[in-house]
């Protein structure tokens, strides 16, 4: 096996990347700054993804998807994030909501909800975090009780991406908080269910243009067929879901970093100081070199993790945590350096690097903070040593 086969994507995925990039440059990039400035959901941009059949990327053809698994989805998210991290969250968050169904849902649930995502009929969100349960997910307080032929859910989920826009939510609730992980189950909750409402939209530093709100459940009654998997299986489903979704956040971080590096490198070849382009000054040249090295290392790590997810490799917990952690840390460093390369221009909104820097920060926080990723990495590493 030569180096190309071992370390480069197959030609069909590079062709896919080129096709996505053309769509993104034509239909998403012109609106990225406006989306950030207004922080308003843009249905037309979502419909552009549907029209080009991009919402079906990474899903099995059985449900109307285009197949291919996690790696094509990662490339899609990467290319979208080069111009708009917010738009990249549209397919990424729906996949996050769909993964529990793919892992433990019934065929009927998959056909309706996963198929609905692929057809552009609905969006999904993932509702795990609570006001008092972030990194310690097992401490959640949203309760459920059996009632007749169904369940009643009460509680509040916080920082839910897509809340209010998404049509369906995977909600994690406990029958008894004292049971911690063993008491948690997963449920499908619909936007129109009685007892479901949404809090105010958060005024966020980054990923502006996709709503983040509370999901409030006040004795929300749902039928029994909306349970995902078995009762008491919810925590396992939640953690397995994150193993699959963290490399996608890594791909988002890589795309953000690539967008920032593109702008910084171009600017450095055009801006002159002391009679020559600033790219010819060693201080700037070395900065660009470091940015490029971190980016390519992050990209390879993310692709490896995505490939392990597609293979169902048991090492995916370790590699997913490493990919998400390293790529998001790299994106934060690269985007900060991009602002520095542009100097005063980097600090104003006329140029997109300050937006890239704001967007990069969330990749170190959601899907498990990078401190939690280091806990996971260390735990997996030490467990492998016996």
């Amino acid at each position: 096996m030569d180096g190309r086969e071992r370390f480069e994507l197959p030609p069909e995925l590079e062709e896919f990347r080129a096709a996505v990039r053309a769509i993104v440059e034509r239909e998403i990039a012109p609106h990225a700054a406006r989306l950030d400035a207004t922080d308003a959901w843009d249905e037309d941009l979502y419909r552009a993804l549907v029209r080009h059949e991009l919402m079906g990327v990474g899903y099995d053809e059985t449900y109307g998807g285009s197949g291919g698994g996690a790696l094509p989805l990662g490339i899609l998210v990467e290319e979208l994030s080069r111009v708009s991290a917010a738009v990249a969250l549209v397919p990424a968050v729906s996949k996050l909501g769909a993964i529990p169904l793919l892992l433990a849902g019934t065929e009927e649930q998959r056909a309706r909800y996963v198929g609905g995502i692929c057809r552009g009929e609905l969006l999904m969100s993932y509702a795990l975090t609570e006001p008092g349960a972030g990194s310690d997910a097992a401490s959640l307080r949203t309760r459920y009780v059996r009632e007749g032929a169904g369940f009643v859910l009460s509680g509040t989920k916080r920082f839910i991406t897509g809340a209010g826009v998404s049509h369906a939510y995977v909600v994690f609730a406990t029958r008894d908080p004292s049971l911690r992980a063993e008491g948690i189950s997963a449920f499908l909750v619909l936007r129109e269910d009685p007892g479901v409402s949404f809090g105010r939209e958060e005024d966020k530093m980054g990923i502006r243009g996709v709503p983040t709100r509370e999901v409030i459940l006040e004795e929300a009654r749902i039928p029994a067929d909306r349970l995902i998997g078995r009762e008491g299986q919810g925590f396992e489903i939640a953690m397995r879901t994150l193993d699959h979704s963290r490399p996608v956040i890594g791909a988002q971080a890589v795309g953000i970093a690539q967008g920032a590096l593109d702008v910084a490198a171009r600017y450095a070849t055009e801006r002159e100081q002391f009679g020559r382009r600033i790219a010819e000054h060693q201080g700037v040249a070395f900065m660009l070199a470091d940015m490029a090295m971190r980016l390519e290392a992050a990209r390879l790590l993310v692709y490896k993790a995505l490939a392990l997810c597609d293979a169902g490799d048991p090492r995916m917990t370790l590699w997913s945590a490493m990919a998400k952690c390293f790529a998001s840390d790299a994106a934060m460093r690269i985007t900060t350096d991009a602002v520095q390369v542009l100097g005063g221009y980097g600090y104003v909104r006329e140029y997109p690097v300050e937006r890239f820097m704001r967007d990069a920060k969330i990749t170190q926080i959601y899907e498990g903070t990078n401190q939690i990723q280091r806990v996971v990495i260390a735990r997996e590493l030490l467990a492998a040593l016996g």
Side-chain angles (χ1 to χ4, degrees):
M1 183 178 290
D2 64 23
R4 177 180 176 83
E5 293 172 320
R6 188 179 297 273
F7 294 117
E8 293 187 15
L9 293 175
E12 59 269 23
L13 284 181
E14 290 295 357
E15 291 171 7
F16 171 69
R17 182 197 299 280
V20 170
R21 183 169 295 188
I23 294 168
V24 168
E25 292 292 342
R26 183 176 66 249
E27 302 193 34
I28 307 299
H31 305 285
R34 172 185 58 79
L35 196 65
D36 178 70
T38 62
D39 194 18
W41 171 256
D42 192 320
E43 184 75 11
D44 290 340
L45 294 181
Y46 164 53
R47 287 296 150 196
L49 301 179
V50 173
R51 185 170 62 253
H52 293 290
E53 301 183 344
L54 296 179
M55 291 301 295
V57 171
Y59 295 98
D60 194 278
E61 295 176 5
T62 303
Y63 308 113
S66 58
L71 195 49
L73 176 65
I75 292 170
L76 170 64
V77 168
E78 179 187 344
E79 288 301 317
L80 288 168
S81 298
R82 282 182 63 251
V83 300
S84 174
V87 175
L89 283 173
V90 179
V93 169
S94 277
K95 184 61 181 287
L96 177 61
I99 291 170
L101 302 181
L102 296 170
L103 291 175
T106 65
E107 195 55 41
E108 182 179 355
Q109 289 170 342
R110 294 170 187 166
R112 178 175 178 182
Y113 296 100
V114 178
I117 293 169
C118 295
R119 294 187 296 269
E121 297 171 355
L122 61 85
L123 294 164
M124 290 192 70
S125 288
Y126 181 86
L128 177 63
T129 300
E130 296 184 0
S135 295
D136 182 11
S139 67
L140 61 83
R141 289 292 184 267
T142 295
R143 299 289 294 269
Y144 79 89
V145 296
R146 277 191 170 272
E147 185 177 276
F151 300 92
V152 180
L153 277 64
S154 297
T156 298
K157 297 296 182 178
R158 179 161 289 176
F159 300 138
I160 306 306
T161 307
V165 170
S166 292
H167 306 81
Y169 302 81
V170 175
V171 173
F172 296 89
T174 181
R175 62 185 175 89
D176 182 350
S178 69
L179 296 174
R180 289 185 57 81
E182 294 181 1
I184 298 172
S185 299
F187 302 90
L188 268 168
V189 174
L190 303 186
R191 185 173 61 184
E192 65 269 19
D193 284 338
V196 177
S197 61
F198 304 96
R200 64 176 176 81
E201 289 194 28
E202 302 291 349
D203 187 9
K204 305 186 299 292
M205 178 171 73
I207 56 167
R208 296 168 59 83
V210 59
T212 301
R213 303 170 69 178
E214 288 184 336
V215 177
I216 302 167
L217 307 162
E218 298 174 293
E219 295 189 352
R221 286 170 167 78
I222 64 170
D225 63 4
R226 301 254 208 89
L227 174 69
I228 302 172
R230 306 183 308 275
E231 280 193 72
Q233 194 184 7
F235 190 77
E236 174 195 345
I237 292 170
M239 296 302 104
R240 290 178 63 200
T241 295
L242 294 175
D243 285 345
H244 286 270
S245 65
R246 281 170 176 157
V248 178
I249 299 304
Q252 182 187 41
V254 167
I256 293 168
Q258 183 68 67
L261 178 57
D262 290 346
V263 174
R266 190 179 310 113
Y267 179 87
T269 64
E270 297 170 352
R271 172 76 166 173
E272 290 191 2
Q273 291 287 277
F274 304 102
R276 55 180 176 163
R277 300 179 303 169
I278 64 171
E280 297 172 23
H281 293 278
Q282 189 178 80
V284 174
F286 280 14
M287 187 179 295
L288 292 171
D290 286 341
M291 293 161 72
M293 286 190 290
R294 289 188 180 93
L295 176 59
E296 292 306 327
R299 178 175 282 119
L300 287 173
L301 188 53
V302 167
Y303 288 0
K304 172 71 175 283
L306 290 166
L308 290 175
C309 288
D310 282 334
D313 193 293
R315 297 172 295 166
M316 74 168 72
T317 298
L318 171 64
W319 283 83
S320 293
M322 290 196 299
K324 188 269 186 189
C325 187
F326 186 87
S328 57
D329 281 352
M332 196 68 238
R333 176 67 181 272
I334 290 166
T335 55
T336 302
D337 285 350
V339 171
Q340 189 72 18
V341 170
L342 269 67
Y345 292 107
Y347 204 68
V348 298
R349 295 195 176 188
E350 179 182 354
Y351 290 83
V353 288
E354 62 85 28
R355 169 164 54 88
F356 289 134
M357 185 175 74
R358 288 186 285 110
D359 287 341
K361 185 59 196 175
I362 192 60
T363 65
Q364 294 180 304
I365 298 172
Y366 58 16
E367 307 272 333
T369 66
N370 281 6
Q371 287 71 31
I372 289 295
Q373 302 314 306
R374 287 173 167 86
V375 170
V376 172
I377 293 164
R379 183 187 66 212
E380 293 294 311
L381 177 66
L382 296 174
L385 296 175

